[in-house]
Amino acid sequence: MSTRDELRRLHFINSLFAHVTGRDLYLAGQIKAAIAFSLAELEQQTAEHPEMAAKYDAAFTAAAAQLLEKFFHEHERHGFYHWDAAKSLESATPLFARNEVMAGLRHLAPYDESTLLITNIRPALLPPERRKTPRRVRDYEELLDFIRELAAARTPRNAKLHLLFL
């Protein structure tokens, strides 16, 4: 694992858990260590087989999403919804993405403050084993813009929505 990847993961954890860490990178490092410990066997396999790095990243993201969901479940006044764009082949297409985002926004509507976590859009539209063609990159960027615009249009003005893409 490169230093750059480690730093990226540390900032990822610090962003996700800023309300817990208070932007304390040491505490973020402890959370990251707990996630990494729970994935130690997979990390060891990744070191032995570098081709499994994508699986490690996916498992790391899934573990962080589970921790975040667990944290928000304990805070009754803060809404949380998670959509995994890679759960099916068509999930990341605009029609299905709109349906999923709208379901999330309906779920979050009663809350004044909420978090909509969207994971795996990049691997769904830009698979690491395939070439990044200009069309795939354009589709990816257009879907991100579409989701941002949809969330902005469908969120009440007095609500505070945190939109996270992992």
Side-chain angles (χ1 to χ4, degrees):
M1 205 68 44
S2 72
T3 306
R4 183 177 180 201
D5 288 339
E6 288 297 318
L7 185 60
R8 180 178 56 84
R9 287 195 177 103
L10 185 61
H11 282 288
F12 165 74
I13 292 297
N14 198 39
S15 297
L16 278 179
F17 297 99
H19 49 280
V20 175
T21 65
R23 302 281 182 205
D24 180 356
L25 287 178
Y26 179 74
L27 186 53
Q30 289 179 321
I31 293 171
K32 181 189 153 299
I35 292 171
F37 180 76
S38 68
L39 299 172
E41 183 179 325
L42 184 57
E43 188 172 9
Q44 180 182 2
Q45 291 174 358
T46 302
E48 294 170 6
H49 306 283
E51 66 277 6
M52 291 185 59
K55 285 185 179 182
Y56 176 73
D57 279 343
F60 186 88
T61 301
Q66 284 178 333
L67 282 174
L68 193 60
E69 187 170 359
K70 204 181 253 187
F71 173 79
F72 281 123
H73 184 69
E74 296 171 3
H75 290 80
E76 299 163 1
R77 300 182 71 186
H78 189 105
F80 180 79
Y81 188 83
H82 174 220
W83 170 47
D84 182 359
K87 67 182 174 184
S88 72
L89 291 175
E90 61 276 338
S91 285
T93 60
L95 180 63
F96 288 96
R98 182 185 190 288
N99 189 35
E100 288 287 343
V101 172
M102 287 302 296
L105 293 173
R106 279 191 295 275
H107 175 78
L108 299 173
Y111 300 97
D112 290 333
E113 188 171 357
S114 56
T115 300
L116 176 58
L117 175 63
I118 301 173
T119 56
N120 295 319
I121 288 182
R122 179 178 289 274
L125 294 175
L126 300 169
E129 68 276 358
R130 299 180 72 187
R131 279 184 352 137
K132 289 184 182 174
T133 64
R135 180 180 176 161
R136 285 190 184 121
V137 172
R138 187 185 70 239
D139 288 347
Y140 170 72
E141 291 170 356
E142 286 176 358
L143 184 58
L144 291 180
D145 289 341
F146 174 74
I147 291 171
R148 286 184 192 113
E149 290 171 10
L150 182 62
R154 301 296 181 168
T155 302
R157 289 189 186 269
N158 63 337
K160 186 174 182 181
L161 175 68
H162 303 278
L163 186 58
L164 295 175
F165 294 99
L166 305 178

